[in-house]
């Protein structure tokens, strides 16, 4: 099925829609049965003037790109499943309201909107829906973070979320409205299904019996360095191993940094971008794009990677496990955030990125694609700086039901042949990853 999810673009955020059973182990409503994909927050647009919810008559999610369907018609981001847009931080009118001096809530609890920047919220969501998109909002804001934690403020936010026709909401960790059960109960009480993203930077995690949100941040904010990508990826591993990333309750190590700027410093390289996208796919993480959709050069460079349908299929698959590391080097390498620009670092919420990140020199991840073990995706990640051959024994791959397996290259979208017992990814560049699907051959069935 086509991916769908929560996204943020040009100061705008997106979210999947769903009905929310109270205190469920996962939100089993069918609308977050697959990991969320969408258009992501563009940090360099945040709070600058008045963002357009649609990006024009058709919107960036609907504009044709260079790839085509088999019938020759153009494919857009939305054709690929990146169909969700919405409003992130910066929609509020900061001030001092009522006797408690709330920063963006009236004394009644109603949020105070910046109507100069967003004159008609309902018209914005209506236009998104007319384009076949879903629209999301953002609460517990970080800009002029509010100290209001009364039920009136929760109720005021939930009421306008419903009245304006939003389909989802991102709940950040900066203001005082941190009670996810209260959010869940109020949103569930409305007649409009809404998807909830818990963005508490890995500080409010689910357990076996509690997950009142559809997906949740496992980490601090990501930045466009390979060190940050690898550090955030590692936060998913223990949750996946514990079975806490699954339909209705997805682990999310933050947005994709493919094509995003890093001030005067270099952005992620092509190899690092492949590793990043592949890691998010194989771990079932939401695929939230964050590059400037208006920049044709950047968009054209990112397009072959983010439009890889075979990678997206791996991301969307569910065969009982969300994807985990199964083999790692015994020695570590040090990955540096030193190239992170000061301007980009200043926008990080939660804890600042560590200057150095220690990670295994190489790491293998797998995700079953079929419950009978007849197909398993594998990502071979080289975290070291130099090129390295990456041998893979099929017997080491969890849930793989073949010893003589067909190997397909997801990046190249081509079959590599049938291999007996093992495969070697030769001379894989530093910070690059080989993305493979191993499957049982017809002769073995």
């Amino acid at each position: 099925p086509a991916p769908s999810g929560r996204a943020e673009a040009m100061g705008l955020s997106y979210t999947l829609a769903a009905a929310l059973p109270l205190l469920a182990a996962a939100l089993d409503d069918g609308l977050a049965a697959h990991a969320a994909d969408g258009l992501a927050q563009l940090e360099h647009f945040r709070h600058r003037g008045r963002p357009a919810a649609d990006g024009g008559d058709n919107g960036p999610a609907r504009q044709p790109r260079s790839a085509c369907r088999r019938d020759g018609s153009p494919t857009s981001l939305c054709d690929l499943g990146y169909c969700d847009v919405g409003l992130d931080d910066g929609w509020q009118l900061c001030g001092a309201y009522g006797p408690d001096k709330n920063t963006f809530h009236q004394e009644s609890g109603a949020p105070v909107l910046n109507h100069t920047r967003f004159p008609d919220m309902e018209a914005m969501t209506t236009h998104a829906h007319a384009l076949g998109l879903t629209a999301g909002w953002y609460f517990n804001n970080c800009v002029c973070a509010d100290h209001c934690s009364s039920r009136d403020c929760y109720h005021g936010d939930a009421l306008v979320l419903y009245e304006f026709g939003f389909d989802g909401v991102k709940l950040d960790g900066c203001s005082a409205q941190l009670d996810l059960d209260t959010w869940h109960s109020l949103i569930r009480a409305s007649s409009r299904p809404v998807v909830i993203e818990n963005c508490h930077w890995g500080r409010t995690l689910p357990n076996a019996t509690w997950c009142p949100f559809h997906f949740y941040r496992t980490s601090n904010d990501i930045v466009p360095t390979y060190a940050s990508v690898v550090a955030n990826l590692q936060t998913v591993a223990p949750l996946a191993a514990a079975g806490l990333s699954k339909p209705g309750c997805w682990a999310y190590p933050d947005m994709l940094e493919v094509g995003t700027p890093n001030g005067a410093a270099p952005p992620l390289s092509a190899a690092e971008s492949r590793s990043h996208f592949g890691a998010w796919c194989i771990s079932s993480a939401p695929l939230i794009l964050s590059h400037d959709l208006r920049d044709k050069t950047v968009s054209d460079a990112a397009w072959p990677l983010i439009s890889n349908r075979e990678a997206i299929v791996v991301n969307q698959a569910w065969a009982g496990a969300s994807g985990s590391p199964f083999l790692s080097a015994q020695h570590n390498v040090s990955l540096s955030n030193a190239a992170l620009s000061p301007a980009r670092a200043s926008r990080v919420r939660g804890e600042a990125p560590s200057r150095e990140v220690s990670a295994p020199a190489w790491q293998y991840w797998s995700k079953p694609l079929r419950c009978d073990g007849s197909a398993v995706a594998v990502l071979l990640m080289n975290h070291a700086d130099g090129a390295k051959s990456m041998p893979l024994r099929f017997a080491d791959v969890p849930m793989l039901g073949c010893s003589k397996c067909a190997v397909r290259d997801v990046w190249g979208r081509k079959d590599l042949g049938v291999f007996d017992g093992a495969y070697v990814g030769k001379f894989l560049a530093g910070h690059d990853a080989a993305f493979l699907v191993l499957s049982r051959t017809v002769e073995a069935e």
Side-chain angles (χ1 to χ4, degrees), residues 167-232:
D167 307 295
V169 64
K170 171 183 173 180
L171 303 174
D172 216 324
C174 294
S175 292
Q177 294 169 276
L178 296 169
D179 189 336
L180 293 166
D181 288 326
T182 296
W183 280 119
H184 175 236
S185 63
L186 287 170
I187 292 171
R188 184 174 181 262
S190 78
S191 59
R192 185 175 187 84
V194 173
V195 161
I196 295 177
E197 177 195 347
N198 158 13
C199 186
H200 290 182
W201 314 314
R203 299 172 187 175
T204 310
L205 298 174
N207 58 42
T209 60
W210 183 81
C211 187
F213 32 80
H214 286 87
F215 57 108
Y216 59 95
R217 278 280 293 277
T218 62
S219 64
N220 291 312
D221 285 359
I222 196 169
V223 294
T225 67
Y226 191 67
S228 178
V229 167
V230 173
N232 280 29

Side-chain angles (χ1 to χ4, degrees), residues 122 157 163 167 217 249 251 311 335 356 359 369 433:
E122 188 172 1
D157 289 347
E163 289 181 344
D167 307 295
R217 278 280 293 277
C249 185
L335 303 172
E356 300 291 329
L369 303 181

Side-chain angles (χ1 to χ4, degrees), residues 4-21:
S4 53
R6 187 206 70 79
E8 305 152 41
M10 292 162 51
L12 312 178
S13 102
Y14 93 99
T15 329
L16 284 172
L20 312 176

Side-chain angles (χ1 to χ4, degrees), residues 25-357:
L27 299 184
D28 186 17
D29 48 44
L31 293 173
H34 304 278
D37 293 5
L39 309 179
Q41 173 177 328
L42 304 180
E43 289 288 349
H44 46 291
F45 279 118
R46 179 174 288 171
H47 323 312
R48 295 185 183 180
R50 177 182 161 192
D54 54 278
D57 290 340
N58 294 314
R62 280 295 182 191
Q63 293 172 0
R65 299 299 309 166
S66 55
C68 292
R69 300 191 188 95
R70 289 180 181 176
D71 65 3
S73 59
T75 300
S76 70
L77 284 171
C78 193
D79 290 325
L80 293 163
Y82 303 103
C83 294
D84 307 294
V85 296
L87 182 63
D88 200 80
D89 209 342
W91 55 261
Q92 68 276 37
L93 187 63
C94 299
Y97 302 99
D100 294 329
K101 305 298 182 185
N102 296 331
T103 56
F104 60 87
H105 286 94
Q106 299 175 23
E107 185 178 356
S108 66
V112 184
L113 277 67
N114 185 335
H115 289 290
T116 300
R117 186 174 284 177
F118 297 100
D120 193 334
M121 289 285 199
E122 188 172 1
M124 183 180 71
T125 61
T126 299
H127 187 58
H129 295 153
L131 292 172
L133 308 174
T134 54
W137 208 357
Y138 169 99
F139 289 139
N140 207 43
N141 305 33
C142 291
V143 174
C144 65
D146 208 335
H147 56 264
C148 181
S149 61
S150 72
R151 190 170 180 86
D152 287 341
C153 285
Y154 285 95
H155 186 270
D157 289 347
L159 181 62
V160 292
L161 181 74
Y162 168 75
E163 289 181 344
F164 291 151
F166 285 102
D167 307 295
V169 64
K170 171 183 173 180
L171 303 174
D172 216 324
C174 294
S175 292
Q177 294 169 276
L178 296 169
D179 189 336
L180 293 166
D181 288 326
T182 296
W183 280 119
H184 175 236
S185 63
L186 287 170
I187 292 171
R188 184 174 181 262
S190 78
S191 59
R192 185 175 187 84
V194 173
V195 161
I196 295 177
E197 177 195 347
N198 158 13
C199 186
H200 290 182
W201 314 314
R203 299 172 187 175
T204 310
L205 298 174
N207 58 42
T209 60
W210 183 81
C211 187
F213 32 80
H214 286 87
F215 57 108
Y216 59 95
R217 278 280 293 277
T218 62
S219 64
N220 291 312
D221 285 359
I222 196 169
V223 294
T225 67
Y226 191 67
S228 178
V229 167
V230 173
N232 280 29
L233 175 64
Q234 304 311 309
T235 65
V236 172
L239 296 157
L244 295 175
S245 184
K246 56 190 174 181
C249 185
W250 297 107
Y252 173 44
D254 206 358
M255 70 185 92
L256 291 164
E257 294 291 311
V258 175
T260 60
N262 185 17
L268 294 178
S269 68
E272 291 168 345
S273 294
R274 274 192 299 274
S275 289
H276 184 13
F277 191 72
W280 265 232
C281 285
I282 205 162
S283 64
S284 303
L287 302 179
I288 311 304
L289 306 176
S290 64
H291 64 278
D292 184 350
L293 300 178
R294 308 174 312 167
D295 188 322
K296 187 177 186 301
T297 300
V298 169
S299 293
D300 286 350
W303 181 254
L305 183 60
I306 65 175
S307 67
N308 187 314
R309 292 182 185 273
E310 294 188 25
I312 293 171
V313 165
V314 172
N315 175 258
Q316 297 288 286
W318 179 254
S322 59
S324 300
F326 67 92
L327 203 60
S328 299
Q330 295 301 304
H331 63 287
N332 285 5
V333 293
S334 181
L335 303 172
S336 176
N337 275 316
L340 180 64
S341 72
R344 186 63 179 83
S346 70
R347 293 195 292 269
V348 171
R349 293 161 177 173
E351 295 179 13
S354 300
R355 188 170 179 83
E356 300 291 329
V357 171

